[in-house]
Amino acid sequence: MSQPPPPPNQPPQPGGFGQPQGQQPQQPAQSPQTPPAGGPDFAKSPQPAPGYGYPQPPQGAPQTPPPAGPPQPQPGYGYPGGQPNPYAQSPAAQPDPYGAQQSGYGYPGQQPTVPTQPQTGAPGGGRKVNAQVAMIVSTVVVIALIIGTGIWYSNRSDGGKQDTASSSGGTGGKEGDGKSGSGGTEKAPSDPAAKVLYQVPMPEVSDLVTTTGSWLTGKAYVKSGVAEVVGYDRDKGTKLWTIELPGPVCEASKHTTSDGKSAIVYEPAMPTKDKPTHGCSQVAAIDLDAGKKLWTQTVKSGDQPIRLDNVTVSGGTVAVGGTSGGAAFDIADGKVLWAPKAADTCYDSGYGGGAKLVAVRKCGQYGQRQLHIQTIDPKSGKVISEYKMSQGIEYAAIVSTDPLVVAADVGQSAGDGSGISDFFSIDNGTGKLRAHISAPGDTYAARCDGISRVEDCRGLAVGGDRLYVPTEDHDGSEEFRKTNEIVAFDLGTGKQTGQRADAGDGYHIYPLRMDGADLIAYKSPPYDKGGQIVSIDGGSFKQTKLLENPASRDVRDAETSMSPDRAEFLYSQGHLYMSSIYARKASSSSLGKDYLALAFGAGG
């Protein structure tokens, strides 16, 4: 049940980081919302290793042994065993966006090893109702135990066609015109100069705890804390409500319904030194406006709750997945809608949500894997279309579900730990490949997890039948200043459109999301400037500044500690919110102060 809302806290005073913004008063020294004086400096801090609350591999799952050593370099994108990547393109097909010479693709030394579930045989037939419920789905809090009837169980069809359209041409699908003026709501303020609205202090923890999840509603900025989800006033930072949980939030859907509902996965208890994880087994729907937990359920294999790696929302359906199985629930009441058949030789590793629901289904053993990208009906689980990726591609991530774009590290050739060497544009209706886009890791700077968090891609945006990708840093026009660009690819042809948005010397630009046909992007700042939010016209690629943060050192240090490739960024109507996905043990005073979240607002 949701907790009764506590009396509103005193809001933190505007300004912060030890320096007032404009004519803002200083914060009270003992205010619970007041951060310690001074700004954080994460640049000097080592990256923390996963600790309490970090998702762990399923119990009993065999671990994939790490490679004995780096393979000999192969030309192009190599498949395991040195086989050439059939999707590889000549350098001329994808011009270097800034004229740099491309180097060979190194072995991804930091590529993590993941648990795999032994799989044999081929996928079975189409979906069907199965009265023998091998996977028991149980309600933990509000919904009563469901006894194996009326639930859609399914194994997925292997009848999907595999298409090998090259990046030089598509096989159908809608074409966007990339023109501006298509319903964008973000307008330039009279004064884009921003001030610090408030900071949420880093919770006191003894080890690393996950705090994944942040959302914006018309009423609140909502952020996961340590074993809680909290709604804050968008402008003042006053706590509006708190949903208390027994354990840390492991995963959170970035999608919400039209009435402000989303979903999370969390642990049933707080980790301890003796038991560093209790497994991310609890899935819940939350009402972001009312500040209520609507229901909680688990997915069981036999009598044991399984660990869930990801959660998403689409069409009023909450879908969860992991290496041991998955399920789908009605977001309103927690009713079980369907689940992949437990006896199937394949399993759903995860789902992408939003406009459509797409499953990444894994078949076969590690090293002989085949991934099936399936667009499915959110309510029934019925397969609408299916695309089979080439055998040997172990991991894939959903960049967008409509239009459908998938990222993969083909043959682990990205070489930079980004999880991306190639993009695949797929027709949702037919399951045919529209286009393939080569994205060498040493050229492009986006990142996708793909291993367990199927929908965790950063630095990418899709809209107007275009894919927007940032390039890696390179030398700018000024000495000692790096910069980069955003380039656009046509999802029907796989070719670059010729559009590019320059970050400017000393800045690095990241796509955040679409605003109609326009692109909203963040520019991380150089040492003497504040970061910026810009709108990029979908047709002309003209940039309009929407917000610019203060350039004072402590504010800039706090801002740059939350790079968008490892933090959560939300922008709307002149407000920018940044938040950490981990609570960590307090750093020493020489390294500055840590913040869970920062809020900025433009002045006009």
Side-chain angles (χ1 to χ4, degrees):
M1 283 294 197
S2 60
Q3 300 295 321
N9 290 2
Q10 291 296 319
Q13 298 297 319
F17 311 101
Q19 295 188 16
Q21 303 294 323
Q23 300 300 317
Q24 307 298 333
Q26 294 293 326
Q27 298 182 5
Q30 301 302 319
S31 170
Q33 294 269 15
T34 304
D41 188 359
F42 281 91
K44 302 175 184 177
S45 306
Q47 292 298 312
Y52 291 168
Y54 191 81
Q56 301 295 320
Q59 293 178 346
Q63 300 293 319
T64 302
Q72 294 300 313
Q74 301 292 333
Y77 305 119
Y79 271 82
Q83 296 300 315
N85 179 354
Y87 300 115
Q89 296 175 276
S90 65
Q94 296 293 333
D96 185 334
Y98 45 80
Q101 295 296 319
Q102 297 185 17
S103 60
Y105 305 117
Y107 184 79
Q110 59 267 58
Q111 188 77 12
T113 301
V114 299
T116 59
Q117 177 175 334
Q119 304 291 338
T120 57
R127 291 175 175 276
K128 57 185 178 181
V129 179
N130 187 344
Q132 301 299 319
V133 182
M135 185 183 299
I136 302 173
V137 184
S138 63
T139 304
V140 177
V141 178
V142 179
I143 306 301
L145 181 67
I146 299 172
I147 313 290
T149 58
I151 303 174
W152 280 90
Y153 277 78
S154 51
N155 50 21
R156 299 260 169 75
S157 169
D158 65 346
K161 296 180 180 179
Q162 181 171 352
D163 191 271
T164 56
S166 72
S167 62
S168 60
T171 60
K174 63 185 179 181
E175 285 289 339
D177 59 13
K179 294 180 179 178
S180 60
S182 301
T185 62
E186 302 292 351
K187 306 301 180 183
S190 57
D191 182 6
K195 62 182 179 182
V196 180
L197 298 177
Y198 56 90
Q199 317 96 41
V200 179
M202 185 65 71
E204 294 184 6
V205 293
S206 59
D207 209 327
L208 201 68
V209 178
T210 56
T211 57
T212 297
S214 58
W215 305 264
L216 271 178
T217 76
K219 300 178 180 179
Y221 167 61
V222 183
K223 173 59 188 165
S224 295
V226 175
E228 65 180 9
V229 180
V230 181
Y232 300 92
D233 183 278
R234 289 176 53 137
D235 293 300
K236 301 177 182 178
T238 306
K239 281 188 179 181
L240 303 177
W241 50 260
T242 300
I243 299 173
E244 295 183 0
L245 301 168
V249 176
C250 311
E251 301 296 335
S253 174
K254 63 183 179 181
H255 305 292
T256 60
T257 62
S258 58
D259 57 352
K261 296 180 177 65
S262 194
I264 58 174
V265 171
Y266 62 92
E267 293 194 43
M270 285 298 295
T272 64
K273 290 183 178 180
D274 295 333
K275 193 167 186 178
T277 180
H278 294 272
C280 300
S281 60
Q282 314 295 302
V283 56
I286 54 176
D287 187 321
L288 299 171
D289 280 328
K292 295 181 179 179
K293 180 156 62 76
L294 303 176
W295 48 263
T296 300
Q297 293 200 12
T298 61
V299 182
K300 290 188 177 181
S301 178
D303 60 352
Q304 294 297 316
I306 67 173
R307 293 178 176 177
L308 303 168
D309 295 326
N310 54 79
V311 60
T312 197
V313 172
S314 177
T317 293
V318 176
V320 291
T323 56
S324 298
F329 309 90
D330 190 304
I331 197 168
D333 57 15
K335 177 184 176 182
V336 181
L337 299 176
W338 49 268
K341 189 177 178 181
D344 204 343
T345 55
C346 304
Y347 70 98
D348 290 7
S349 65
Y351 304 92
K356 296 184 183 295
L357 186 63
V358 176
V360 176
R361 191 163 179 81
K362 293 189 176 184
C363 299
Q365 297 182 3
Y366 184 86
Q368 299 178 332
R369 188 89 69 202
Q370 186 170 50
L371 304 183
H372 298 217
I373 309 301
Q374 299 180 328
T375 299
I376 56 183
D377 183 271
K379 294 299 182 184
S380 68
K382 179 182 177 181
V383 176
I384 297 171
S385 66
E386 180 178 61
Y387 170 72
K388 294 182 181 179
M389 304 191 78
S390 295
Q391 190 172 13
I393 299 177
E394 295 289 341
Y395 313 109
I398 305 299
V399 179
S400 168
T401 61
D402 187 23
L404 178 52
V405 180
V406 174
D409 187 354
V410 177
Q412 297 184 338
S413 60
D416 61 350
S418 66
I420 304 171
S421 67
D422 301 83
F423 294 100
F424 300 83
S425 172
I426 302 167
D427 189 294
N428 280 104
T430 65
K432 291 183 178 180
L433 181 68
R434 298 179 61 204
H436 159 256
I437 298 170
S438 176
D442 59 355
T443 304
Y444 300 102
R447 306 180 68 85
C448 288
D449 186 319
I451 295 174
S452 60
R453 297 174 175 88
V454 168
E455 206 175 21
D456 185 10
C457 289
R458 299 171 184 269
L460 294 168
V462 175
D465 218 36
R466 303 287 188 266
L467 169 66
Y468 298 96
V469 186
T471 68
E472 290 284 3
D473 283 342
H474 60 88
D475 291 337
S477 59
E478 294 185 21
E479 191 175 9
F480 307 121
R481 294 262 187 167
K482 296 287 187 178
T483 189
N484 80 320
E485 300 81 34
I486 292 174
V487 296
F489 291 90
D490 187 298
L491 292 175
T493 66
K495 296 181 178 179
Q496 286 192 26
T497 65
Q499 299 165 307
R500 55 182 275 163
D502 296 324
D505 283 342
Y507 289 90
H508 187 101
I509 191 168
Y510 301 82
L512 293 182
R513 63 172 176 86
M514 300 303 298
D515 177 38
D518 300 334
L519 175 66
I520 303 298
Y522 170 72
K523 291 184 177 182
S524 63
Y527 71 91
D528 55 348
K529 302 287 185 181
Q532 299 178 4
I533 294 290
V534 297
S535 176
I536 302 171
D537 186 278
S540 67
F541 252 44
K542 177 183 177 182
Q543 297 183 37
T544 300
K545 187 189 300 182
L546 302 179
L547 176 146
E548 184 169 17
N549 285 334
S552 60
R553 179 177 177 178
D554 45 5
V555 175
R556 191 178 64 252
D557 286 349
E559 176 181 2
T560 55
S561 74
M562 292 189 182
S563 171
D565 61 2
R566 62 176 185 269
E568 295 171 337
F569 278 50
L570 297 174
Y571 176 81
S572 177
Q573 305 302 321
H575 290 67
L576 173 62
Y577 303 87
M578 307 176 177
S579 63
S580 175
I581 58 175
Y582 294 105
R584 67 198 79 207
K585 187 175 181 180
S587 58
S588 65
S589 58
S590 63
L591 297 178
K593 308 300 179 184
D594 296 350
Y595 295 96
L596 182 65
L598 306 170
F600 300 90

